[in-house]
Amino acid sequence: MTHAHITSWLITILLFLIVVSLQRSGSSKAKIVQMVLRLFYIFTIITGVLLLHSIASISLLYVIKTIAGLWLIGAMEMVLISMKKGKSAKAAWTQWIIALALALFLGLSLPLGFDIF
Ligand code: HEM
């Protein structure tokens, strides 16, 4: 399941960056790719929940990891909405970077799958 989760969030991040560049160039394809991106949010959440389900006792770090993962997805939506409205997306990007660092660091520190940090 860790591999399904990793594949899912990697594709999510790639699709997010693709939607950002499509939206910047004003391409009409941005909408359809954003719909696929939203499908991958769901895959990422489902695989994350299944990972949580496989753990006997959920420690505080797992709770923070889950919040960071959900926050990152929220930040991606905030970036895309700010861009669409023509507003500054700076605050949303800041949140995106913090949430990404937190999700990667905690995910890779916790014992399942790769345990790098
Ligand atoms: C785009 C958002 C997300 C990113 C970038 C992300 C990133 C990661 C990373 C890097 C790992 C470590 C994989 C490994 O060690 O092999 C991981 C594991 C995990 N993720 Fe996520 N994740 C995201 C969303 C979520 C969500 C929404 C949930 C919960 C609903 C979640 C729950 C978990 C759990 C429980 C683990 C196992 C931790 C462990 O013991 O290693 N993740 N995630």
Side-chain angles (χ1 to χ4, degrees):
M1 192 46 66
T2 43
H3 288 143
H5 187 61
I6 294 170
T7 310
S8 182
W9 65 252
L10 261 179
I11 295 175
T12 301
I13 289 172
L14 275 177
L15 283 174
F16 167 70
L17 296 174
I18 292 171
V19 176
V20 167
S21 81
L22 285 174
Q23 238 181 46
R24 269 196 191 136
S25 63
S27 165
S28 58
K29 287 190 194 121
K31 230 177 185 166
I32 183 94
V33 184
Q34 192 173 2
M35 280 166 71
V36 182
L37 170 66
R38 288 190 171 139
L39 195 66
F40 273 88
Y41 291 158
I42 296 172
F43 290 152
T44 305
I45 293 172
I46 291 175
T47 50
V49 168
L50 289 173
L51 280 171
L52 283 175
H53 199 73
S54 70
I55 299 157
S57 71
I58 294 172
S59 65
L60 181 64
L61 279 184
Y62 276 102
V63 176
I64 301 174
K65 164 70 185 68
T66 301
I67 293 170
L70 293 172
W71 182 23
L72 181 57
I73 292 173
M76 294 196 226
E77 279 297 292
M78 281 187 243
V79 168
L80 295 176
I81 289 168
S82 306
M83 282 177 67
K84 208 176 267 175
K85 287 186 175 166
K87 286 187 190 161
S88 163
K90 235 183 194 169
W93 274 114
T94 309
Q95 292 188 46
W96 188 80
I97 288 170
I98 297 170
L100 178 66
L102 211 59
L104 289 182
F105 178 70
L106 286 175
L108 297 173
S109 312
L110 286 165
L112 297 182
F114 301 104
D115 186 8
I116 294 177
F117 297 111

